[in-house]
Amino acid sequence: VTDPTKPTLVSGADTRRLLGPWQPPAGEVESEGTWGFADTAFTIDAEGRVLLTGNRYSLAGQPLPNLLPWMRGVMEVDLRADDRHAPHFPPAIPEPVRNAGLETELAGYLRPDQISLDGIQRLRRGHGHTQEEVYNLKHGHWKRIPDLVTFPESDEEVAQLVESAIRHGAVLIPYGGGTNVTDALRCPENEQRTIVSVDMKRMNRIRWIDPVNRLACIEAGAVGRHIVSQLAEHGLMMGHEPDSIEFSTLGGWIATRASGMKKNRYGNIEDIVMDLTAVTAHGALERRQVAPRESVGLEPRQWMFGSEGNLGIITSAVVKLFPLPEVQHYDSLLFKDFSSGVAFMYDLAQAGDWPASARLVDNVQFQFSMALKPASTGFKAWKSKLEKSVVTGVLGYNPNQMVACTLVFEGTREEVARQQALVKRLSKQHGGMPAGGENGARGYQLTFGIAYIRDFVLDHWILAESFETSVPWTQLEGLISRVKQRLLDEHAARKLPGKPFITARVTQIYDTGACVYFYFAYYYKGTPNPTAVYHELENAARDEILKCGGSLSHHHGIGKLRQGFLPQIASPATLAWQAAAKQALDPTNVFGVANQVAPLDASVTPHATDAVKSH
Amino acid sequence: VTDPTKPTLVSGADTRRLLGPWQPPAGEVESEGTWGFADTAFTIDAEGRVLLTGNRYSLAGQPLPNLLPWMRGVMEVDLRADDRHAPHFPPAIPEPVRNAGLETELAGYLRPDQISLDGIQRLRRGHGHTQEEVYNLKHGHWKRIPDLVTFPESDEEVAQLVESAIRHGAVLIPYGGGTNVTDALRCPENEQRTIVSVDMKRMNRIRWIDPVNRLACIEAGAVGRHIVSQLAEHGLMMGHEPDSIEFSTLGGWIATRASGMKKNRYGNIEDIVMDLTAVTAHGALERRQVAPRESVGLEPRQWMFGSEGNLGIITSAVVKLFPLPEVQHYDSLLFKDFSSGVAFMYDLAQAGDWPASARLVDNVQFQFSMALKPASTGFKAWKSKLEKSVVTGVLGYNPNQMVACTLVFEGTREEVARQQALVKRLSKQHGGMPAGGENGARGYQLTFGIAYIRDFVLDHWILAESFETSVPWTQLEGLISRVKQRLLDEHAARKLPGKPFITARVTQIYDTGACVYFYFAYYYKGTPNPTAVYHELENAARDEILKCGGSLSHHHGIGKLRQGFLPQIASPATLAWQAAAKQALDPTNVFGVANQVAPLDASVTPHATDAVKSH
């Protein structure tokens, strides 16, 4: 009795299904000056209630009367609907640095629609979504952006672009979804050469799917949401769901060593990608075989994970597939306080049979998600309702201390039932209360809708940004509370108005530790250079993170934002290796994006006893 | 109700247990000229029966009357107890290339017992266990071996050694367990510089164990069996069990990207090692934090996986720990033929809830394990008994086609029961028959005892060796049968005596494919240059493997043995990257072991469209 939905092994059969070219559905227009789709934005309605436009998100279309009052309370500032810091998009666009020889050569193998000098197009490819970049789109000056945007459609065209750029002394910056929060796309101001953005979006094909060997070959410019929908037509999935999945691309995931929200079940990007091709200054890294696992010496392809555009342009990858789960089930839990929640997450990690996703949000984030509920009543009524609810009233949960955990279960009916039973047992041990599947689904989906809020609050004098780390279990709680305190102290020391908004969640669990994700926002009205101040505060938080045993990044990467911290996490020899490898592998610096790798400093001389003492 | 055997999270607590220096137990003497422990070897007793000496292995101490008769039958040669190719160990030892300046400098920081010029010691560190090396220990000439053996006891001493070697123009070759089968330790004959073996065995400490964060810091020279026994005292394990675990070291596992037999549960070495320190020509790669997972750009430490001594000397690693399993259970299954077994393994892989180990042996290997049974009866009686057994008699299994699968279950009682039920269900679907836990345990343990047989058969004119690959599921069976046929053809074309011994097993399963492990042996009496002939045949097999979509290696690595195949699996750009990285990271070639990485060839010029077409 074989299950007809399951693939059957036929030895020797060619089980690859070749797929043809593919066009994204019409109507999926991305915004030029803000996050996300053009039809979606937070606004304020006539009655002063916040409203998410469009109909893409569960949050959309319903007035959110509690949000502004709640934020006023938390940030202790007078957030008024009519007090706007009006954005000015587009900003002035710098003139491109032209390179006539290069342009002539490109015209030899690219069609006119594959080359653009358009200012808005160039601007978009010169930024990601750091607080500074987002602010500067509305209020800033742009000294340097890409000079030219190209849209290659094949490996051969990417290879030709690399040759042309080397020949004509230009710089290439690969562009995927533009969703990074590390200043990875920011153009170095002192770059004199012509900067060519290589937009990979037209390399969006799934070339083939092999359901028996559970592999697919996908071009690097394919966008997450399109990969999901196309694979689903075949009953398959890749399982990689970063918060940015709607817009980020396969190539970007590899280049930044991305992590998905369901990594417990499907793995992080390095677990899912079985092989990749990349065009480098030395030619194309590629191979014939796709092995399930190998030991074949130094592996240049592996070096592309986390390379962030420094070493070459990823053009395609062979990824592992999974069958769509028989069952998907959301759930949520409430805990009395953050410590109880962390203890639960630790025990879940130790038990090993993990739900696809388990995330623990702190009290502020819990309150935030409550404030995002489209309550029909006013803020006071809502707050009083919360205070009188069963958990707070009968069970004595303090609304200012309780936290929530959202869970996603995926798998066979049996697996999901088993994991649910485990979660129930462990939750009980830590005084947890079931809070229902609807809240779980809402909590999980909120990630996508909430991404639009930053542009909204920015128009009301609030600068916001997220940053993350990973840390061993015993250091997790201390790290979170010390980072929060450090931000409070730094905020107070600068006499900034109101209170900062600081919240943390545990987003990924591992055997040996977890990923912690912070949101930090502050009210900048009246503060000169608000992005510089944010940067100072964020650096202080990062300094505290490192002191508490956290990593420099769990999945965002380094970019240009965190470069300065590398000497604190890596020994001089490590930095020398990075620089020497960059120089050897990209001798003309054609991939001159200047992310993470500092130029080889003559003062860092090879010396075997230079040592950051470690374990 | 918390389980007292499980760790409890105490946030902020220092949960590291520091451990002191450690000495291996007395009496564990390794053989100088053959595999393994000095007290263990296959011999022939007075009645002509094969016997394994010592008392370390379940196989030991019981006469094995069926082995020689069975081998005679399979190989169709006249294997006689008294027809020996008598070994001559030790061979002539070449004079060391002395370097007075270096020796004087070493004497400044190493004690006399940390330096050796002894011939036998030098010889041992100049080889692994390829067929050619093993043969040459008994019958060959050694032109080049290490000139000096050093025994550093700290990171500092390793760093000093690197500095001294650079200063005095010497070469360093790190030495762990000496168990490689890739000619990784073979000294290049044309190496004019003094070759210093850096024996890491005295760096054998577990520095600390953190049971709450499930981490341990272990020195690179620690031997597998000692890591297992020491961690077990704390109720913990690392879970990495390569076939060589008795002798190989943590540093060697990392340098060769090793795979363990229980990787289904505990992961391969790259999944287990969370951090590492290494001394390189640029200094020490090391850090402060140990993150559960990171995205921190180019990761030199990651490049040490599979580096095989080319880039530096690994001195310690932080590894992930697991609690000792509540239950360990062995099992075995019989299938009618190899195809049924492969279909079972595929379905098991797709089902996902994998036993710690699942291995499928082909019919020859099944018969081999039967022939290794200490039957009290003679060979004919044994054969007749097999033919009359329930499976062969009642169920119609053909003794010349049936295959066996050995399974190891580890985990909680619940996990093991669940996996057993799954195995039972899938086995039934493919006509499998339960063959009991005892046979399972025997099959799994046989790996360790059987490793001694190669030295035994070599003394009876048989050269034997193993090699492995990994391959997608649909290509697995075709690969195995074509490789077997190719070896038969090549053997016949050379008119070699008798028949070759060829057998395969599937040792590791993955979502997308599996690891296949071959044993190949041939009778060389009367054949000039037997190791060269073996090498030709092995290369033919490897050629066939690559043609069938297999990888160059699943876990053995490249060494010097498989270097020549690199252009077949990697594009010119990949090879250029390897060479350029080697030159940049080890400019004076102090780690001049010449494994895998060919010297940078001026003819390989950077050219972006050089391409091995792939997916």
Side-chain angles (χ1 to χ4, degrees):
Chain A
V1 186
T2 45
D3 181 340
T5 67
K6 294 218 171 103
T8 305
L9 180 66
V10 181
S11 287
D14 181 1
T15 48
R16 286 186 184 182
R17 297 178 197 160
L18 302 181
L19 305 188
W22 182 85
Q23 287 302 320
E28 294 190 337
V29 182
E30 286 184 35
S31 166
E32 281 169 348
T34 57
W35 175 266
F37 291 108
D39 58 13
T40 301
F42 279 97
T43 54
I44 296 186
D45 71 5
E47 293 169 52
R49 301 169 305 185
V50 175
L51 184 81
L52 185 64
T53 61
N55 55 13
R56 296 181 183 275
Y57 303 94
S58 53
L59 215 53
Q62 299 155 301
L64 309 168
N66 305 318
L67 186 58
L68 280 185
W70 179 78
M71 284 175 64
R72 265 183 223 118
V74 170
M75 299 190 71
E76 297 183 5
V77 288
D78 183 29
L79 278 182
R80 280 180 295 115
D82 59 350
D83 183 18
R84 294 184 75 224
H85 187 192
H88 301 282
F89 180 87
I93 305 285
E95 284 301 306
V97 176
R98 305 291 291 260
N99 181 325
L102 175 70
E103 289 179 38
T104 306
E105 188 165 315
L106 296 188
Y109 55 84
L110 297 178
R111 296 184 311 274
D113 73 286
Q114 291 181 282
I115 306 172
S116 175
L117 283 159
D118 175 71
I120 297 294
Q121 298 241 39
R122 289 163 43 222
L123 175 66
R124 177 62 195 93
R125 283 150 191 89
H127 71 84
H129 281 83
T130 61
Q131 51 89 21
E132 190 176 7
E133 290 170 328
V134 168
Y135 183 88
N136 283 343
L137 283 175
K138 300 175 192 229
H139 310 290
H141 300 287
W142 294 79
K143 290 189 188 151
R144 198 75 180 87
I145 61 171
D147 302 302
L148 195 69
V149 183
T150 58
F151 301 89
E153 297 176 5
S154 66
D155 285 56
E156 288 69 25
E157 286 179 357
V158 175
Q160 283 175 306
L161 275 171
V162 173
E163 286 193 353
S164 297
I166 291 175
R167 191 153 34 230
H168 294 281
V171 178
L172 298 180
I173 300 188
Y175 178 83
T179 59
N180 79 77
V181 283
T182 60
D183 288 340
L185 290 170
R186 201 183 72 208
C187 294
E189 282 183 21
N190 58 356
E191 181 58 70
Q192 307 290 315
R193 300 174 292 175
T194 290
I195 299 175
V196 180
S197 174
V198 184
D199 187 315
M200 297 297 291
K201 284 274 181 63
R202 293 194 195 168
M203 290 190 64
N204 64 8
R205 270 179 63 197
I206 297 184
R207 290 181 183 161
W208 51 258
I209 291 176
D210 180 343
V212 178
N213 292 311
R214 284 176 41 192
L215 294 168
C217 179
I218 305 178
E219 291 179 344
V223 172
R225 69 178 190 274
H226 297 145
I227 294 174
V228 170
S229 63
Q230 288 178 85
L231 290 177
E233 289 173 24
H234 299 262
L236 295 163
M237 66 190 294
M238 200 178 137
H240 184 67
E241 281 194 24
D243 289 3
S244 62
I245 187 167
E246 294 169 287
F247 307 105
S248 54
T249 62
L250 173 57
W253 297 338
I254 297 168
T256 58
R257 232 176 119 83
S259 173
M261 289 184 281
K262 295 175 181 168
K263 75 92 200 155
N264 289 351
R265 185 168 177 85
Y266 308 104
N268 283 318
I269 195 68
E270 67 274 21
D271 306 309
I272 297 170
V273 170
M274 309 304 290
D275 211 344
L276 63 86
T277 58
V279 177
T280 76
H282 288 268
L285 302 181
E286 49 185 349
R287 308 195 324 159
R288 284 195 185 85
Q289 287 85 358
V290 185
R293 196 265 180 187
E294 293 168 300
S295 168
V296 290
L298 302 182
E299 288 219 58
R301 289 165 309 127
Q302 290 289 338
W303 305 355
M304 297 307 290
F305 288 92
S307 60
E308 299 186 10
N310 276 298
L311 300 182
I313 299 178
I314 297 156
T315 53
S316 71
V318 175
V319 302
K320 197 201 282 190
L321 300 179
F322 299 87
L324 288 174
E326 190 176 290
V327 177
Q328 186 187 50
H329 182 81
Y330 292 95
D331 209 346
S332 64
L333 301 167
L334 296 177
F335 292 95
K336 218 164 229 181
D337 52 31
F338 195 65
S339 291
S340 307
V342 170
F344 162 78
M345 295 289 270
Y346 175 76
D347 282 357
L348 183 61
Q350 302 315 302
D353 194 7
W354 300 342
S357 171
R359 302 201 290 185
L360 179 75
V361 302
D362 68 5
N363 176 261
V364 171
Q365 212 159 138
F366 168 68
Q367 286 194 30
F368 188 28
S369 72
M370 292 291 117
L372 280 163
K373 285 209 169 176
S376 51
T377 53
F379 180 61
K380 278 187 184 159
W382 166 78
K383 226 180 156 196
S384 127
K385 197 179 157 195
L386 180 70
E387 278 156 8
K388 283 175 192 151
S389 79
V390 178
V391 273
T392 51
V394 180
L395 293 166
Y397 277 41
N398 181 340
N400 294 316
Q401 287 187 357
M402 58 196 281
V403 303
C405 174
T406 59
L407 299 143
V408 186
F409 300 89
E410 293 191 354
T412 62
R413 229 163 278 282
E414 191 193 359
E415 282 171 317
V416 168
R418 190 176 77 219
Q419 291 170 357
Q420 283 181 297
L422 170 70
V423 162
K424 194 174 168 183
R425 181 166 62 80
L426 296 178
S427 167
K428 258 191 188 167
Q429 284 176 15
H430 296 284
M433 281 286 302
E438 201 185 322
N439 282 323
R442 210 176 148 272
Y444 188 81
Q445 302 298 341
L446 214 52
T447 307
F448 306 113
I450 208 70
Y452 292 83
I453 210 161
R454 199 153 57 121
D455 282 299
F456 169 70
V457 299
L458 190 50
D459 296 349
H460 294 273
W461 308 98
I462 293 173
L463 257 182
E465 170 75 287
S466 65
F467 47 85
E468 31 66 83
T469 186
S470 51
V471 62
W473 281 110
T474 53
Q475 287 154 282
L476 184 144
E477 244 192 295
L479 181 145
I480 292 174
S481 59
R482 279 177 55 183
V483 168
K484 286 180 176 178
Q485 191 57 51
R486 177 77 179 265
L487 283 168
L488 283 171
D489 294 347
E490 300 277 346
H491 187 270
R494 284 170 182 77
K495 302 195 191 335
L496 296 166
K499 289 220 164 151
F501 177 92
I502 319 167
T503 169
R505 63 170 181 248
V506 179
T507 60
Q508 320 274 44
I509 56 171
Y510 295 89
D511 297 305
T512 65
C515 169
V516 177
Y517 203 91
F518 290 94
Y519 286 117
F520 166 62
Y522 88 100
Y523 187 78
Y524 66 80
K525 195 173 179 183
T527 303
N529 299 319
T531 60
V533 170
Y534 192 102
H535 198 56
E536 279 175 35
L537 294 172
E538 186 180 342
N539 278 351
R542 180 60 56 185
D543 174 66
E544 200 64 39
I545 285 171
L546 296 181
K547 282 182 183 152
C548 293
S551 67
L552 189 49
S553 170
H554 169 265
H555 62 274
H556 283 171
I558 304 299
K560 295 171 193 77
L561 189 67
R562 296 172 179 177
Q563 251 175 6
F565 287 102
L566 283 173
Q568 285 184 48
I569 68 156
S571 62
T574 306
L575 301 180
W577 267 47
Q578 290 173 336
K582 166 71 178 171
Q583 197 157 45
L585 303 176
D586 180 16
T588 64
N589 196 25
V590 63
F591 303 108
V593 288
N595 289 337
Q596 72 181 255
V597 182
L600 189 56
D601 179 352
S603 72
V604 182
T605 46
H607 183 62
T609 48
D610 281 344
V612 172
K613 280 316 296 173
S614 56
H615 327 114
Chain B
V1 186
T2 45
D3 181 340
T5 67
K6 293 215 171 104
T8 304
L9 179 66
V10 181
S11 288
D14 181 0
T15 48
R16 287 187 183 182
R17 297 178 197 159
L18 301 182
L19 305 188
W22 182 84
Q23 286 302 321
E28 295 189 337
V29 182
E30 287 185 34
S31 166
E32 280 170 349
T34 57
W35 174 267
F37 290 109
D39 57 14
T40 300
F42 280 98
T43 54
I44 295 186
D45 70 7
E47 294 169 50
R49 300 170 305 185
V50 175
L51 185 80
L52 185 64
T53 61
N55 55 12
R56 296 182 183 274
Y57 302 94
S58 52
L59 216 53
Q62 299 155 301
L64 309 168
N66 305 320
L67 186 58
L68 279 184
W70 180 78
M71 283 175 65
R72 268 183 220 118
V74 170
M75 299 191 71
E76 298 183 5
V77 289
D78 183 29
L79 279 182
R80 281 182 293 114
D82 59 350
D83 184 18
R84 292 185 78 223
H85 187 193
H88 301 282
F89 180 86
I93 305 283
E95 284 302 307
V97 176
R98 305 291 291 260
N99 182 325
L102 175 70
E103 289 178 39
T104 306
E105 189 165 316
L106 296 189
Y109 54 84
L110 296 179
R111 296 186 310 272
D113 73 287
Q114 290 181 281
I115 307 172
S116 174
L117 283 159
D118 175 72
I120 297 293
Q121 298 241 39
R122 289 163 44 222
L123 176 66
R124 178 63 195 94
R125 283 149 191 88
H127 72 84
H129 281 84
T130 63
Q131 52 88 21
E132 191 177 5
E133 290 169 330
V134 168
Y135 182 89
N136 283 343
L137 283 175
K138 299 176 191 228
H139 310 291
H141 300 286
W142 294 79
K143 291 190 186 148
R144 198 75 180 86
I145 60 170
D147 303 302
L148 195 69
V149 183
T150 56
F151 301 90
E153 297 176 5
S154 66
D155 285 55
E156 288 67 24
E157 286 179 356
V158 175
Q160 283 174 306
L161 275 171
V162 173
E163 286 193 353
S164 296
I166 292 175
R167 191 155 31 232
H168 294 280
V171 178
L172 299 181
I173 300 189
Y175 178 83
T179 59
N180 78 78
V181 283
T182 59
D183 287 341
L185 290 170
R186 201 183 72 208
C187 294
E189 282 184 21
N190 59 357
E191 181 57 70
Q192 307 291 316
R193 300 173 292 177
T194 291
I195 300 175
V196 180
S197 174
V198 183
D199 187 315
M200 296 298 292
K201 284 274 181 64
R202 293 194 195 168
M203 289 189 66
N204 65 8
R205 268 178 65 196
I206 299 184
R207 290 182 184 161
W208 51 259
I209 291 175
D210 180 343
V212 178
N213 292 311
R214 284 174 43 190
L215 294 167
C217 179
I218 305 179
E219 290 180 343
V223 172
R225 68 178 190 276
H226 297 146
I227 294 174
V228 170
S229 62
Q230 288 178 85
L231 289 178
E233 289 172 25
H234 299 263
L236 294 164
M237 65 189 294
M238 199 177 137
H240 184 67
E241 280 195 24
D243 291 2
S244 61
I245 187 166
E246 295 169 287
F247 307 105
S248 54
T249 61
L250 174 58
W253 297 338
I254 297 169
T256 58
R257 232 176 119 83
S259 173
M261 291 184 278
K262 295 176 181 167
K263 75 92 201 157
N264 290 350
R265 185 167 176 85
Y266 307 104
N268 283 318
I269 195 68
E270 67 274 21
D271 306 310
I272 297 170
V273 170
M274 308 304 291
D275 211 343
L276 64 84
T277 58
V279 177
T280 77
H282 288 269
L285 302 181
E286 50 185 348
R287 308 195 325 159
R288 285 195 184 85
Q289 286 85 0
V290 185
R293 195 265 181 188
E294 292 167 299
S295 169
V296 289
L298 302 182
E299 287 218 59
R301 288 165 308 126
Q302 289 290 336
W303 305 352
M304 297 307 290
F305 288 92
S307 60
E308 298 185 9
N310 277 297
L311 300 182
I313 299 178
I314 298 156
T315 51
S316 71
V318 176
V319 302
K320 197 201 283 190
L321 300 179
F322 298 87
L324 287 174
E326 190 178 291
V327 176
Q328 187 187 49
H329 181 81
Y330 292 95
D331 208 347
S332 64
L333 301 167
L334 295 177
F335 293 96
K336 215 164 230 179
D337 53 31
F338 195 65
S339 291
S340 306
V342 170
F344 162 78
M345 295 290 270
Y346 175 76
D347 282 357
L348 183 61
Q350 302 314 301
D353 194 7
W354 302 341
S357 171
R359 300 201 292 184
L360 179 75
V361 302
D362 68 4
N363 176 259
V364 171
Q365 211 159 138
F366 168 66
Q367 287 193 31
F368 188 29
S369 72
M370 292 292 117
L372 281 164
K373 284 208 169 178
S376 51
T377 54
F379 181 60
K380 278 186 185 157
W382 167 77
K383 225 180 159 198
S384 127
K385 195 180 158 196
L386 180 67
E387 277 154 8
K388 283 176 192 150
S389 78
V390 178
V391 271
T392 53
V394 179
L395 293 166
Y397 276 40
N398 181 338
N400 294 316
Q401 286 186 358
M402 57 197 281
V403 303
C405 175
T406 58
L407 298 143
V408 186
F409 300 88
E410 292 190 354
T412 62
R413 228 164 279 280
E414 190 192 359
E415 282 172 317
V416 168
R418 191 175 76 220
Q419 291 170 357
Q420 282 181 297
L422 171 70
V423 162
K424 194 174 170 185
R425 181 166 64 78
L426 296 178
S427 167
K428 258 191 186 167
Q429 284 176 16
H430 296 283
M433 282 285 302
E438 202 185 321
N439 282 324
R442 209 176 148 274
Y444 188 82
Q445 301 298 343
L446 215 51
T447 307
F448 305 113
I450 208 70
Y452 291 84
I453 210 162
R454 199 151 59 119
D455 282 298
F456 169 70
V457 298
L458 189 51
D459 295 349
H460 294 273
W461 308 97
I462 293 172
L463 256 182
E465 169 77 286
S466 66
F467 47 86
E468 32 65 84
T469 186
S470 52
V471 62
W473 281 109
T474 54
Q475 288 154 281
L476 184 144
E477 243 192 295
L479 180 145
I480 291 173
S481 58
R482 279 176 56 184
V483 168
K484 286 181 177 177
Q485 190 58 52
R486 177 78 179 265
L487 284 169
L488 283 171
D489 294 347
E490 300 277 346
H491 187 269
R494 283 170 183 75
K495 302 193 189 338
L496 296 166
K499 289 223 165 146
F501 177 92
I502 319 167
T503 170
R505 64 169 179 248
V506 179
T507 58
Q508 320 275 43
I509 57 172
Y510 296 89
D511 297 304
T512 66
C515 169
V516 177
Y517 202 92
F518 291 94
Y519 287 118
F520 166 62
Y522 89 100
Y523 187 79
Y524 65 81
K525 194 174 182 184
T527 303
N529 297 320
T531 59
V533 170
Y534 192 103
H535 199 54
E536 280 175 35
L537 295 172
E538 186 181 343
N539 278 351
R542 181 59 57 186
D543 175 65
E544 200 64 39
I545 285 172
L546 296 181
K547 281 182 182 152
C548 293
S551 67
L552 188 50
S553 170
H554 170 264
H555 62 274
H556 282 171
I558 305 298
K560 295 170 193 77
L561 189 67
R562 296 172 181 178
Q563 251 176 6
F565 286 102
L566 283 174
Q568 285 184 48
I569 67 155
S571 62
T574 307
L575 301 179
W577 267 47
Q578 290 172 336
K582 166 72 177 171
Q583 198 158 43
L585 303 177
D586 180 17
T588 64
N589 196 24
V590 64
F591 303 107
V593 288
N595 289 337
Q596 76 180 251
V597 181
L600 189 56
D601 180 353
S603 72
V604 181
T605 46
H607 183 62
T609 50
D610 282 345
V612 173
K613 279 316 296 172
S614 58
H615 327 114

